[in-house]
Amino acid sequence: EFAVKAIEMITSMKGFVLKGKKFSYKSKKNVESVTIRVTPEAYNALVDMANESTLSIRNIASQAILFAYANLVIDRNEDADAFND
């Protein structure tokens, strides 16, 4: 049920909103895979989605990240709440 709610929330968003840049990260080139750390809540959502799907956790996480990136909105206003419409 959590995964269904998470998917409904994501698909109803007008964009994936992030606050403006504070750190700089480097892209990985020519690698098969990388390790990222997620919150327990995010991991549990991935597990729920994987249990309801034929896709692997890796594939679901990758698709979710690429979907968020494609719908990304950068909020450069430091006072704005990242989850407001």
Short mmCIF file of all heavy atoms in Angstrom, two decimals, residues 11-84:
data_model
loop_
_atom_site.label_atom_id
_atom_site.label_comp_id
_atom_site.label_asym_id
_atom_site.label_seq_id
_atom_site.Cartn_x
_atom_site.Cartn_y
_atom_site.Cartn_z
N THR A 11 3.21 10.67 -9.38
CA THR A 11 2.55 10.95 -10.66
C THR A 11 1.66 12.19 -10.59
O THR A 11 1.37 12.79 -11.62
CB THR A 11 1.73 9.74 -11.14
OG1 THR A 11 0.80 9.38 -10.13
CG2 THR A 11 2.63 8.57 -11.46
N SER A 12 1.25 12.61 -9.39
CA SER A 12 0.43 13.81 -9.28
C SER A 12 1.28 15.08 -9.15
O SER A 12 0.75 16.18 -9.21
CB SER A 12 -0.50 13.70 -8.07
OG SER A 12 0.23 13.76 -6.86
N MET A 13 2.59 14.93 -8.99
CA MET A 13 3.46 16.10 -8.83
C MET A 13 3.55 16.87 -10.14
O MET A 13 3.50 16.29 -11.21
CB MET A 13 4.88 15.66 -8.43
CG MET A 13 4.97 15.00 -7.09
SD MET A 13 6.61 14.31 -6.83
CE MET A 13 7.36 15.64 -5.92
N LYS A 14 3.68 18.18 -10.02
CA LYS A 14 3.88 19.01 -11.21
C LYS A 14 5.32 18.95 -11.66
O LYS A 14 5.65 19.30 -12.77
CB LYS A 14 3.47 20.43 -10.90
CG LYS A 14 1.98 20.54 -10.66
CD LYS A 14 1.55 21.94 -10.46
CE LYS A 14 0.04 21.94 -10.34
NZ LYS A 14 -0.46 22.77 -9.34
N GLY A 15 6.20 18.52 -10.82
CA GLY A 15 7.62 18.37 -11.11
C GLY A 15 8.31 17.90 -9.85
O GLY A 15 7.76 18.00 -8.75
N PHE A 16 9.45 17.34 -9.99
CA PHE A 16 10.25 16.93 -8.85
C PHE A 16 11.04 18.15 -8.41
O PHE A 16 11.92 18.61 -9.12
CB PHE A 16 11.17 15.77 -9.24
CG PHE A 16 11.93 15.20 -8.10
CD1 PHE A 16 11.31 14.40 -7.17
CD2 PHE A 16 13.27 15.47 -7.96
CE1 PHE A 16 12.01 13.87 -6.11
CE2 PHE A 16 13.99 14.95 -6.91
CZ PHE A 16 13.36 14.15 -5.98
N VAL A 17 10.70 18.72 -7.25
CA VAL A 17 11.25 20.01 -6.83
C VAL A 17 12.43 19.80 -5.89
O VAL A 17 12.34 19.09 -4.91
CB VAL A 17 10.18 20.86 -6.12
CG1 VAL A 17 10.76 22.21 -5.69
CG2 VAL A 17 8.98 21.07 -7.02
N LEU A 18 13.55 20.42 -6.24
CA LEU A 18 14.73 20.42 -5.39
C LEU A 18 15.12 21.85 -5.08
O LEU A 18 14.96 22.73 -5.92
CB LEU A 18 15.92 19.75 -6.11
CG LEU A 18 15.83 18.26 -6.39
CD1 LEU A 18 17.07 17.81 -7.15
CD2 LEU A 18 15.70 17.48 -5.10
N LYS A 19 15.63 22.06 -3.89
CA LYS A 19 16.17 23.38 -3.57
C LYS A 19 17.45 23.59 -4.35
O LYS A 19 18.07 22.64 -4.80
CB LYS A 19 16.42 23.48 -2.07
CG LYS A 19 15.12 23.46 -1.30
CD LYS A 19 15.26 24.15 0.01
CE LYS A 19 13.89 24.16 0.66
NZ LYS A 19 13.64 25.32 1.41
N GLY A 20 17.87 24.84 -4.48
CA GLY A 20 19.05 25.19 -5.27
C GLY A 20 20.32 24.52 -4.78
O GLY A 20 20.40 24.00 -3.67
N LYS A 21 21.34 24.55 -5.60
CA LYS A 21 22.61 23.86 -5.39
C LYS A 21 23.35 24.34 -4.16
O LYS A 21 23.53 25.53 -3.94
CB LYS A 21 23.47 24.07 -6.63
CG LYS A 21 24.81 23.42 -6.57
CD LYS A 21 25.56 23.71 -7.85
CE LYS A 21 26.96 23.18 -7.74
NZ LYS A 21 27.72 23.41 -8.93
N LYS A 22 23.81 23.39 -3.36
CA LYS A 22 24.67 23.69 -2.21
C LYS A 22 25.96 22.89 -2.29
O LYS A 22 26.97 23.27 -1.74
CB LYS A 22 23.96 23.38 -0.91
CG LYS A 22 22.79 24.31 -0.66
CD LYS A 22 22.28 24.21 0.73
CE LYS A 22 21.08 25.13 0.83
NZ LYS A 22 20.88 25.67 2.09
N PHE A 23 25.92 21.74 -2.96
CA PHE A 23 27.08 20.88 -3.09
C PHE A 23 27.31 20.56 -4.56
O PHE A 23 26.41 20.69 -5.37
CB PHE A 23 26.88 19.54 -2.34
CG PHE A 23 26.62 19.71 -0.88
CD1 PHE A 23 25.34 19.60 -0.37
CD2 PHE A 23 27.66 19.97 -0.01
CE1 PHE A 23 25.09 19.75 0.97
CE2 PHE A 23 27.42 20.13 1.35
CZ PHE A 23 26.14 20.02 1.83
N SER A 24 28.50 20.11 -4.87
CA SER A 24 28.81 19.71 -6.23
C SER A 24 29.29 18.25 -6.21
O SER A 24 30.17 17.91 -5.43
CB SER A 24 29.90 20.60 -6.82
OG SER A 24 30.17 20.23 -8.13
N TYR A 25 28.67 17.43 -7.04
CA TYR A 25 29.03 16.02 -7.13
C TYR A 25 29.56 15.73 -8.52
O TYR A 25 29.21 16.41 -9.47
CB TYR A 25 27.80 15.13 -6.86
CG TYR A 25 27.20 15.34 -5.51
CD1 TYR A 25 26.13 16.22 -5.32
CD2 TYR A 25 27.71 14.68 -4.40
CE1 TYR A 25 25.57 16.41 -4.07
CE2 TYR A 25 27.16 14.87 -3.14
CZ TYR A 25 26.09 15.74 -2.98
OH TYR A 25 25.55 15.93 -1.74
N LYS A 26 30.38 14.70 -8.65
CA LYS A 26 30.92 14.32 -9.95
C LYS A 26 30.18 13.10 -10.48
O LYS A 26 29.88 12.18 -9.74
CB LYS A 26 32.41 14.02 -9.84
CG LYS A 26 33.22 15.25 -9.49
CD LYS A 26 34.69 14.98 -9.56
CE LYS A 26 35.39 16.27 -9.20
NZ LYS A 26 36.71 16.36 -9.71
N SER A 27 29.91 13.10 -11.78
CA SER A 27 29.28 11.95 -12.42
C SER A 27 30.28 10.82 -12.54
O SER A 27 31.48 11.04 -12.70
CB SER A 27 28.81 12.32 -13.83
OG SER A 27 27.79 13.28 -13.76
N LYS A 28 29.77 9.60 -12.47
CA LYS A 28 30.61 8.40 -12.66
C LYS A 28 30.57 8.04 -14.14
O LYS A 28 29.53 8.02 -14.76
CB LYS A 28 30.08 7.23 -11.84
CG LYS A 28 30.02 7.48 -10.36
CD LYS A 28 31.34 7.20 -9.74
CE LYS A 28 31.22 7.36 -8.23
NZ LYS A 28 32.44 7.07 -7.56
N LYS A 29 31.69 7.75 -14.70
CA LYS A 29 31.80 7.38 -16.12
C LYS A 29 32.32 5.94 -16.24
O LYS A 29 33.17 5.52 -15.46
CB LYS A 29 32.76 8.31 -16.86
CG LYS A 29 32.40 9.77 -16.77
CD LYS A 29 31.21 10.11 -17.62
CE LYS A 29 30.96 11.60 -17.56
NZ LYS A 29 29.66 11.98 -17.91
N ASN A 30 31.81 5.22 -17.20
CA ASN A 30 32.29 3.88 -17.53
C ASN A 30 32.27 2.91 -16.35
O ASN A 30 33.22 2.20 -16.09
CB ASN A 30 33.71 3.94 -18.12
CG ASN A 30 33.76 4.80 -19.36
OD1 ASN A 30 32.86 4.75 -20.19
ND2 ASN A 30 34.80 5.60 -19.49
N VAL A 31 31.18 2.92 -15.59
CA VAL A 31 31.05 1.97 -14.48
C VAL A 31 29.78 1.15 -14.68
O VAL A 31 28.80 1.61 -15.27
CB VAL A 31 31.01 2.67 -13.11
CG1 VAL A 31 32.33 3.32 -12.79
CG2 VAL A 31 29.89 3.68 -13.03
N GLU A 32 29.81 -0.09 -14.21
CA GLU A 32 28.66 -1.00 -14.32
C GLU A 32 27.56 -0.60 -13.35
O GLU A 32 26.39 -0.60 -13.69
CB GLU A 32 29.13 -2.43 -14.05
CG GLU A 32 28.05 -3.46 -14.11
CD GLU A 32 27.69 -3.88 -15.52
OE1 GLU A 32 28.49 -3.64 -16.43
OE2 GLU A 32 26.62 -4.45 -15.69
N SER A 33 27.93 -0.29 -12.11
CA SER A 33 26.95 0.09 -11.10
C SER A 33 27.64 0.87 -10.00
O SER A 33 28.86 0.85 -9.87
CB SER A 33 26.27 -1.15 -10.51
OG SER A 33 27.20 -1.92 -9.81
N VAL A 34 26.84 1.57 -9.22
CA VAL A 34 27.35 2.33 -8.08
C VAL A 34 26.44 2.06 -6.88
O VAL A 34 25.32 1.58 -7.04
CB VAL A 34 27.40 3.85 -8.35
CG1 VAL A 34 28.38 4.17 -9.46
CG2 VAL A 34 26.03 4.39 -8.69
N THR A 35 26.94 2.37 -5.71
CA THR A 35 26.15 2.20 -4.49
C THR A 35 25.69 3.56 -4.02
O THR A 35 26.48 4.50 -3.96
CB THR A 35 27.00 1.53 -3.39
OG1 THR A 35 27.45 0.27 -3.87
CG2 THR A 35 26.19 1.34 -2.13
N ILE A 36 24.39 3.68 -3.71
CA ILE A 36 23.87 4.89 -3.11
C ILE A 36 23.16 4.52 -1.82
O ILE A 36 22.72 3.39 -1.65
CB ILE A 36 22.91 5.66 -4.04
CG1 ILE A 36 21.71 4.79 -4.40
CG2 ILE A 36 23.63 6.14 -5.29
CD1 ILE A 36 20.61 5.55 -5.10
N ARG A 37 23.08 5.46 -0.91
CA ARG A 37 22.40 5.22 0.35
C ARG A 37 21.05 5.92 0.31
O ARG A 37 20.94 7.05 -0.14
CB ARG A 37 23.24 5.76 1.51
CG ARG A 37 24.55 5.01 1.66
CD ARG A 37 25.43 5.66 2.70
NE ARG A 37 24.76 5.67 3.98
CZ ARG A 37 25.16 4.99 5.05
NH1 ARG A 37 26.25 4.25 4.97
NH2 ARG A 37 24.51 5.06 6.18
N VAL A 38 20.02 5.20 0.75
CA VAL A 38 18.67 5.76 0.81
C VAL A 38 18.16 5.63 2.23
O VAL A 38 18.67 4.84 3.03
CB VAL A 38 17.71 5.06 -0.18
CG1 VAL A 38 18.18 5.26 -1.62
CG2 VAL A 38 17.56 3.59 0.12
N THR A 39 17.12 6.38 2.53
CA THR A 39 16.50 6.29 3.85
C THR A 39 15.78 4.95 3.99
O THR A 39 15.41 4.34 2.98
CB THR A 39 15.49 7.43 4.05
OG1 THR A 39 14.43 7.26 3.10
CG2 THR A 39 16.13 8.80 3.91
N PRO A 40 15.56 4.51 5.21
CA PRO A 40 14.80 3.27 5.40
C PRO A 40 13.40 3.36 4.78
O PRO A 40 12.92 2.38 4.21
CB PRO A 40 14.71 3.14 6.93
CG PRO A 40 15.92 3.84 7.43
CD PRO A 40 16.11 5.00 6.48
N GLU A 41 12.78 4.52 4.83
CA GLU A 41 11.46 4.71 4.24
C GLU A 41 11.50 4.50 2.73
O GLU A 41 10.65 3.83 2.16
CB GLU A 41 10.93 6.11 4.58
CG GLU A 41 9.55 6.38 4.05
CD GLU A 41 9.07 7.77 4.39
OE1 GLU A 41 9.86 8.72 4.33
OE2 GLU A 41 7.88 7.88 4.72
N ALA A 42 12.53 5.06 2.07
CA ALA A 42 12.68 4.89 0.63
C ALA A 42 12.97 3.43 0.28
O ALA A 42 12.43 2.90 -0.69
CB ALA A 42 13.79 5.80 0.09
N TYR A 43 13.81 2.78 1.07
CA TYR A 43 14.12 1.37 0.82
C TYR A 43 12.86 0.51 0.96
O TYR A 43 12.60 -0.36 0.13
CB TYR A 43 15.21 0.87 1.77
CG TYR A 43 15.50 -0.59 1.56
CD1 TYR A 43 16.29 -1.00 0.49
CD2 TYR A 43 14.96 -1.56 2.39
CE1 TYR A 43 16.54 -2.36 0.26
CE2 TYR A 43 15.20 -2.91 2.18
CZ TYR A 43 16.00 -3.29 1.12
OH TYR A 43 16.22 -4.63 0.89
N ASN A 44 12.08 0.76 2.00
CA ASN A 44 10.85 0.00 2.20
C ASN A 44 9.86 0.21 1.05
O ASN A 44 9.16 -0.72 0.65
CB ASN A 44 10.21 0.34 3.55
CG ASN A 44 11.03 -0.19 4.70
OD1 ASN A 44 11.79 -1.13 4.56
ND2 ASN A 44 10.88 0.44 5.86
N ALA A 45 9.81 1.42 0.51
CA ALA A 45 8.96 1.69 -0.65
C ALA A 45 9.45 0.88 -1.85
O ALA A 45 8.65 0.31 -2.60
CB ALA A 45 8.94 3.18 -0.98
N LEU A 46 10.77 0.82 -2.04
CA LEU A 46 11.33 0.01 -3.13
C LEU A 46 10.98 -1.46 -2.96
O LEU A 46 10.61 -2.13 -3.93
CB LEU A 46 12.86 0.16 -3.17
CG LEU A 46 13.40 1.41 -3.84
CD1 LEU A 46 14.89 1.54 -3.60
CD2 LEU A 46 13.11 1.39 -5.32
N VAL A 47 11.09 -1.96 -1.74
CA VAL A 47 10.75 -3.36 -1.48
C VAL A 47 9.28 -3.61 -1.80
O VAL A 47 8.93 -4.61 -2.45
CB VAL A 47 11.07 -3.73 -0.01
CG1 VAL A 47 10.46 -5.07 0.36
CG2 VAL A 47 12.57 -3.75 0.21
N ASP A 48 8.40 -2.70 -1.36
CA ASP A 48 6.97 -2.84 -1.66
C ASP A 48 6.72 -2.87 -3.16
O ASP A 48 5.95 -3.69 -3.66
CB ASP A 48 6.15 -1.72 -1.02
CG ASP A 48 6.03 -1.84 0.48
OD1 ASP A 48 6.37 -2.91 1.02
OD2 ASP A 48 5.61 -0.84 1.11
N MET A 49 7.38 -1.96 -3.89
CA MET A 49 7.18 -1.92 -5.34
C MET A 49 7.73 -3.18 -5.99
O MET A 49 7.10 -3.74 -6.90
CB MET A 49 7.85 -0.67 -5.92
CG MET A 49 7.10 0.61 -5.60
SD MET A 49 7.80 2.05 -6.43
CE MET A 49 9.06 2.53 -5.25
N ALA A 50 8.88 -3.66 -5.54
CA ALA A 50 9.47 -4.87 -6.12
C ALA A 50 8.59 -6.09 -5.84
O ALA A 50 8.47 -6.98 -6.70
CB ALA A 50 10.87 -5.09 -5.57
N ASN A 51 7.97 -6.11 -4.67
CA ASN A 51 7.09 -7.24 -4.33
C ASN A 51 5.82 -7.24 -5.17
O ASN A 51 5.17 -8.28 -5.30
CB ASN A 51 6.74 -7.22 -2.84
CG ASN A 51 7.91 -7.64 -1.99
OD1 ASN A 51 8.82 -8.33 -2.45
ND2 ASN A 51 7.91 -7.22 -0.74
N GLU A 52 5.45 -6.10 -5.72
CA GLU A 52 4.25 -5.99 -6.55
C GLU A 52 4.58 -6.03 -8.04
O GLU A 52 3.70 -5.87 -8.87
CB GLU A 52 3.51 -4.68 -6.24
CG GLU A 52 2.98 -4.58 -4.84
CD GLU A 52 1.84 -5.55 -4.56
OE1 GLU A 52 1.06 -5.83 -5.49
OE2 GLU A 52 1.77 -6.05 -3.43
N SER A 53 5.84 -6.22 -8.38
CA SER A 53 6.29 -6.09 -9.76
C SER A 53 7.19 -7.26 -10.14
O SER A 53 7.66 -8.02 -9.29
CB SER A 53 7.07 -4.77 -9.87
OG SER A 53 7.75 -4.69 -11.10
N THR A 54 7.46 -7.36 -11.41
CA THR A 54 8.46 -8.33 -11.88
C THR A 54 9.83 -7.67 -12.00
O THR A 54 10.81 -8.33 -12.34
CB THR A 54 8.06 -8.89 -13.25
OG1 THR A 54 7.96 -7.81 -14.19
CG2 THR A 54 6.74 -9.64 -13.17
N LEU A 55 9.90 -6.36 -11.72
CA LEU A 55 11.16 -5.63 -11.83
C LEU A 55 12.00 -5.79 -10.56
O LEU A 55 11.47 -5.99 -9.47
CB LEU A 55 10.89 -4.14 -12.05
CG LEU A 55 10.12 -3.77 -13.32
CD1 LEU A 55 9.83 -2.28 -13.34
CD2 LEU A 55 10.90 -4.17 -14.55
N SER A 56 13.31 -5.65 -10.71
CA SER A 56 14.21 -5.71 -9.56
C SER A 56 14.22 -4.37 -8.82
O SER A 56 13.82 -3.34 -9.38
CB SER A 56 15.63 -6.03 -10.03
OG SER A 56 16.15 -4.94 -10.77
N ILE A 57 14.70 -4.39 -7.59
CA ILE A 57 14.84 -3.15 -6.83
C ILE A 57 15.75 -2.19 -7.58
O ILE A 57 15.48 -0.99 -7.66
CB ILE A 57 15.38 -3.43 -5.41
CG1 ILE A 57 14.27 -4.07 -4.56
CG2 ILE A 57 15.91 -2.17 -4.74
CD1 ILE A 57 14.69 -4.46 -3.17
N ARG A 58 16.83 -2.70 -8.15
CA ARG A 58 17.76 -1.86 -8.90
C ARG A 58 17.06 -1.18 -10.07
O ARG A 58 17.24 0.02 -10.31
CB ARG A 58 18.92 -2.73 -9.41
CG ARG A 58 19.88 -1.98 -10.29
CD ARG A 58 20.96 -2.92 -10.80
NE ARG A 58 21.81 -2.21 -11.74
CZ ARG A 58 22.91 -2.70 -12.23
NH1 ARG A 58 23.33 -3.90 -11.88
NH2 ARG A 58 23.62 -2.02 -13.08
N ASN A 59 16.25 -1.92 -10.81
CA ASN A 59 15.56 -1.37 -11.97
C ASN A 59 14.52 -0.34 -11.54
O ASN A 59 14.39 0.72 -12.17
CB ASN A 59 14.91 -2.50 -12.77
CG ASN A 59 14.48 -2.05 -14.13
OD1 ASN A 59 13.58 -1.23 -14.26
ND2 ASN A 59 15.11 -2.61 -15.15
N ILE A 60 13.77 -0.62 -10.48
CA ILE A 60 12.76 0.32 -9.99
C ILE A 60 13.42 1.61 -9.53
O ILE A 60 12.96 2.71 -9.88
CB ILE A 60 11.92 -0.31 -8.86
CG1 ILE A 60 11.09 -1.47 -9.41
CG2 ILE A 60 11.02 0.73 -8.20
CD1 ILE A 60 10.48 -2.35 -8.35
N ALA A 61 14.49 1.50 -8.74
CA ALA A 61 15.19 2.69 -8.25
C ALA A 61 15.75 3.50 -9.42
O ALA A 61 15.63 4.74 -9.45
CB ALA A 61 16.31 2.31 -7.29
N SER A 62 16.32 2.84 -10.40
CA SER A 62 16.87 3.52 -11.57
C SER A 62 15.79 4.26 -12.33
O SER A 62 15.96 5.43 -12.71
CB SER A 62 17.58 2.53 -12.49
OG SER A 62 18.68 1.96 -11.83
N GLN A 63 14.65 3.60 -12.56
CA GLN A 63 13.56 4.25 -13.28
C GLN A 63 13.00 5.43 -12.49
O GLN A 63 12.67 6.47 -13.08
CB GLN A 63 12.46 3.23 -13.58
CG GLN A 63 12.82 2.26 -14.67
CD GLN A 63 11.66 1.37 -15.05
OE1 GLN A 63 10.51 1.75 -14.97
NE2 GLN A 63 11.98 0.15 -15.46
N ALA A 64 12.89 5.28 -11.17
CA ALA A 64 12.36 6.37 -10.34
C ALA A 64 13.29 7.59 -10.38
O ALA A 64 12.83 8.73 -10.48
CB ALA A 64 12.17 5.89 -8.90
N ILE A 65 14.59 7.34 -10.32
CA ILE A 65 15.56 8.43 -10.37
C ILE A 65 15.51 9.13 -11.72
O ILE A 65 15.49 10.37 -11.81
CB ILE A 65 16.98 7.92 -10.05
CG1 ILE A 65 17.06 7.52 -8.58
CG2 ILE A 65 18.03 8.98 -10.40
CD1 ILE A 65 18.30 6.73 -8.22
N LEU A 66 15.45 8.35 -12.80
CA LEU A 66 15.38 8.95 -14.14
C LEU A 66 14.08 9.71 -14.36
O LEU A 66 14.06 10.77 -14.99
CB LEU A 66 15.59 7.89 -15.21
CG LEU A 66 17.00 7.27 -15.23
CD1 LEU A 66 17.06 6.11 -16.20
CD2 LEU A 66 18.04 8.33 -15.56
N PHE A 67 12.98 9.21 -13.79
CA PHE A 67 11.69 9.92 -13.87
C PHE A 67 11.79 11.24 -13.11
O PHE A 67 11.35 12.29 -13.62
CB PHE A 67 10.57 9.06 -13.28
CG PHE A 67 9.25 9.78 -13.22
CD1 PHE A 67 8.44 9.83 -14.34
CD2 PHE A 67 8.83 10.41 -12.07
CE1 PHE A 67 7.22 10.51 -14.30
CE2 PHE A 67 7.62 11.09 -12.02
CZ PHE A 67 6.82 11.14 -13.14
N ALA A 68 12.35 11.20 -11.91
CA ALA A 68 12.51 12.43 -11.12
C ALA A 68 13.38 13.43 -11.87
O ALA A 68 13.08 14.63 -11.91
CB ALA A 68 13.10 12.11 -9.75
N TYR A 69 14.46 12.96 -12.47
CA TYR A 69 15.35 13.83 -13.22
C TYR A 69 14.65 14.47 -14.41
O TYR A 69 14.82 15.66 -14.68
CB TYR A 69 16.58 13.05 -13.68
CG TYR A 69 17.61 13.89 -14.40
CD1 TYR A 69 18.31 14.88 -13.73
CD2 TYR A 69 17.86 13.69 -15.74
CE1 TYR A 69 19.25 15.66 -14.39
CE2 TYR A 69 18.80 14.46 -16.41
CZ TYR A 69 19.49 15.44 -15.74
OH TYR A 69 20.41 16.21 -16.39
N ALA A 70 13.85 13.69 -15.11
CA ALA A 70 13.12 14.21 -16.27
C ALA A 70 12.07 15.24 -15.88
O ALA A 70 11.70 16.09 -16.68
CB ALA A 70 12.46 13.07 -17.04
N ASN A 71 11.60 15.20 -14.64
CA ASN A 71 10.56 16.10 -14.16
C ASN A 71 11.10 17.08 -13.13
O ASN A 71 10.35 17.63 -12.32
CB ASN A 71 9.41 15.29 -13.57
CG ASN A 71 8.71 14.49 -14.64
OD1 ASN A 71 7.91 15.01 -15.38
ND2 ASN A 71 9.06 13.22 -14.75
N LEU A 72 12.38 17.32 -13.16
CA LEU A 72 13.07 18.14 -12.17
C LEU A 72 12.77 19.62 -12.32
O LEU A 72 12.78 20.16 -13.42
CB LEU A 72 14.58 17.91 -12.30
CG LEU A 72 15.48 18.65 -11.32
CD1 LEU A 72 15.20 18.20 -9.90
CD2 LEU A 72 16.93 18.41 -11.68
N VAL A 73 12.51 20.26 -11.19
CA VAL A 73 12.36 21.70 -11.11
C VAL A 73 13.30 22.16 -10.01
O VAL A 73 13.22 21.69 -8.88
CB VAL A 73 10.91 22.10 -10.75
CG1 VAL A 73 10.80 23.61 -10.55
CG2 VAL A 73 9.94 21.62 -11.81
N ILE A 74 14.21 23.07 -10.33
CA ILE A 74 15.14 23.60 -9.33
C ILE A 74 14.55 24.87 -8.76
O ILE A 74 14.25 25.82 -9.48
CB ILE A 74 16.52 23.90 -9.93
CG1 ILE A 74 17.13 22.65 -10.55
CG2 ILE A 74 17.45 24.52 -8.90
CD1 ILE A 74 17.53 21.59 -9.56
N ASP A 75 14.37 24.89 -7.44
CA ASP A 75 13.84 26.07 -6.75
C ASP A 75 15.02 26.83 -6.17
O ASP A 75 15.64 26.41 -5.21
CB ASP A 75 12.88 25.63 -5.63
CG ASP A 75 12.23 26.80 -4.93
OD1 ASP A 75 12.60 27.96 -5.22
OD2 ASP A 75 11.36 26.56 -4.09
N ARG A 76 15.34 27.95 -6.77
CA ARG A 76 16.49 28.75 -6.34
C ARG A 76 16.15 29.71 -5.21
O ARG A 76 17.02 30.37 -4.67
CB ARG A 76 17.06 29.52 -7.52
CG ARG A 76 17.41 28.61 -8.68
CD ARG A 76 18.87 28.52 -8.92
NE ARG A 76 19.14 27.70 -10.09
CZ ARG A 76 19.87 26.61 -10.03
NH1 ARG A 76 20.38 26.21 -8.91
NH2 ARG A 76 20.09 25.90 -11.12
N ASN A 77 14.88 29.79 -4.82
CA ASN A 77 14.46 30.65 -3.72
C ASN A 77 14.72 29.92 -2.41
O ASN A 77 14.10 28.93 -2.09
CB ASN A 77 12.97 30.98 -3.86
CG ASN A 77 12.48 31.92 -2.79
OD1 ASN A 77 13.21 32.27 -1.87
ND2 ASN A 77 11.24 32.33 -2.91
N GLU A 78 15.66 30.41 -1.59
CA GLU A 78 16.06 29.72 -0.36
C GLU A 78 14.95 29.66 0.67
O GLU A 78 14.95 28.79 1.53
CB GLU A 78 17.29 30.40 0.24
CG GLU A 78 18.54 30.18 -0.60
CD GLU A 78 19.78 30.71 0.07
OE1 GLU A 78 19.78 30.84 1.31
OE2 GLU A 78 20.73 31.01 -0.65
N ASP A 79 13.97 30.56 0.61
CA ASP A 79 12.91 30.58 1.59
C ASP A 79 11.74 29.68 1.22
O ASP A 79 10.87 29.43 2.03
CB ASP A 79 12.37 32.02 1.78
CG ASP A 79 13.42 32.93 2.35
OD1 ASP A 79 14.29 32.44 3.10
OD2 ASP A 79 13.39 34.12 2.03
N ALA A 80 11.73 29.18 0.00
CA ALA A 80 10.59 28.38 -0.47
C ALA A 80 10.63 26.97 0.10
O ALA A 80 11.69 26.40 0.30
CB ALA A 80 10.61 28.31 -2.00
N ASP A 81 9.45 26.44 0.35
CA ASP A 81 9.31 25.05 0.79
C ASP A 81 9.35 24.18 -0.44
O ASP A 81 8.61 24.37 -1.38
CB ASP A 81 7.98 24.88 1.53
CG ASP A 81 7.77 23.47 2.06
OD1 ASP A 81 8.68 22.62 1.93
OD2 ASP A 81 6.70 23.23 2.60
N ALA A 82 10.21 23.16 -0.46
CA ALA A 82 10.43 22.32 -1.63
C ALA A 82 9.21 21.52 -2.04
O ALA A 82 9.12 21.06 -3.16
CB ALA A 82 11.60 21.37 -1.39
N PHE A 83 8.23 21.35 -1.17
CA PHE A 83 7.08 20.53 -1.52
C PHE A 83 5.83 21.32 -1.83
O PHE A 83 4.76 20.79 -2.03
CB PHE A 83 6.80 19.51 -0.41
CG PHE A 83 7.93 18.53 -0.27
CD1 PHE A 83 8.83 18.64 0.76
CD2 PHE A 83 8.10 17.53 -1.20
CE1 PHE A 83 9.88 17.75 0.89
CE2 PHE A 83 9.15 16.62 -1.08
CZ PHE A 83 10.04 16.74 -0.04
N ASN A 84 5.91 22.64 -1.87
CA ASN A 84 4.76 23.45 -2.24
C ASN A 84 4.58 23.44 -3.74
O ASN A 84 5.52 23.37 -4.50
CB ASN A 84 4.94 24.91 -1.78
CG ASN A 84 4.71 25.06 -0.29
OD1 ASN A 84 4.11 24.20 0.35
ND2 ASN A 84 5.17 26.16 0.24
#
